[in-house]
Amino acid sequence: MKRTDYISWDQYFMGIAMMSAERSKDPSTQVGACIVDKNNRILSMGYNGMPAGCDDDTMPWGKSGAPLDNKYFYVCHAELNSILNYRGGNLKDAIIYSTLFPCNECAKAIIQCGIKEVVYMSDKYAMTESTIASKKMFDMAGVAYRPFEAKGRKITLNL
Ligand SMILES: O=c1[nH]c(=O)n([C@H]2C[C@H](O)[C@@H](COP(=O)(O)O)O2)cc1CO
Ligand SMILES: [Zn+2]
């Protein structure tokens, strides 16, 4: 008889998004994303980090101070990185799993590349205008979004 405690597709892909987030150097918020096709094949992954070649030991990681001296102008979001990391054809009808609800800039990229569904874990910035704008654009563009339903399954990895 087959094993019964295997993880679901949703748990598999959100788990990979969570694992990707572990690569983030951001001391405050680590975000991971995983893009899959409708046949449950993984297409791409990403996490929030400085653009390639921009030394993440030199770049600022703070949240405040002058715009040129904090992270926000520089950091590339997990969702955008996962789109840009894709090496195949196109992302039409793909699904993106993200550990955080996409901001308005990532929402635009998600829509424009043809992703049709967003599965998110945290919506901790739901009250911000950025997230409200994301949802407005997703609604207009017909991109579905739904929260990941955690089932309390714990997995410990000894890395
Ligand atoms: O959807 C997102 N994806 C994403 O990768 N990020 C990144 C940018 C920053 O590195 C970090 C947010 O930082 P903070 O929570 O300290 O404001 O998360 C932030 C959002 C939401 O704004
Ligand atoms: Zn974003």
Side-chain angles (χ1 to χ4, degrees):
M1 200 165 88
K2 78 174 183 185
R3 194 175 151 245
T4 52
D5 63 344
Y6 58 90
I7 56 173
S8 67
W9 288 118
D10 266 10
Q11 288 172 317
Y12 181 31
F13 301 137
M14 191 57 85
I16 284 169
M18 291 166 77
M19 179 65 90
S20 302
E22 293 295 321
R23 280 282 307 154
S24 176
K25 317 297 187 312
D26 192 318
S28 151
T29 302
Q30 303 82 42
V31 187
C34 174
I35 304 177
V36 304
D37 73 11
K38 57 177 182 297
N39 298 311
N40 294 317
R41 293 191 178 109
I42 294 168
L43 300 176
S44 191
M45 286 163 263
Y47 58 89
N48 55 324
M50 292 300 167
C54 299
D55 182 7
D56 53 28
D57 286 317
T58 312
M59 296 299 265
W61 284 108
K63 294 158 69 94
S64 57
L68 291 174
D69 299 329
N70 70 60
K71 66 183 172 183
Y72 293 108
F73 271 6
Y74 308 110
V75 75
C76 192
H77 289 192
E79 303 91 321
L80 185 60
N81 268 333
S82 67
I83 290 170
L84 297 172
N85 284 341
Y86 182 48
R87 286 286 161 269
N90 68 67
L91 294 170
K92 194 175 173 311
D93 296 332
I95 303 172
I96 187 167
Y97 287 76
S98 181
T99 63
L100 182 59
F101 199 97
C103 76
N104 63 303
E105 292 297 332
C106 291
K108 287 183 256 185
I110 287 167
I111 292 166
Q112 292 300 72
C113 73
I115 290 175
K116 64 145 201 270
E117 187 176 354
V118 177
V119 185
Y120 60 94
M121 189 150 55
S122 167
D123 197 9
K124 68 174 180 172
Y125 292 130
M127 78 305 297
T128 65
E129 288 177 329
S130 168
T131 301
I132 293 167
S134 294
K135 290 173 182 170
K136 179 174 174 169
M137 289 187 280
F138 286 153
D139 289 341
M140 291 182 86
V143 174
Y145 48 92
R146 63 178 167 89
F148 173 71
E149 288 176 22
K151 300 281 197 292
R153 172 69 187 268
K154 301 269 188 294
I155 294 178
T156 306
L157 302 174
N158 186 0
L159 299 170

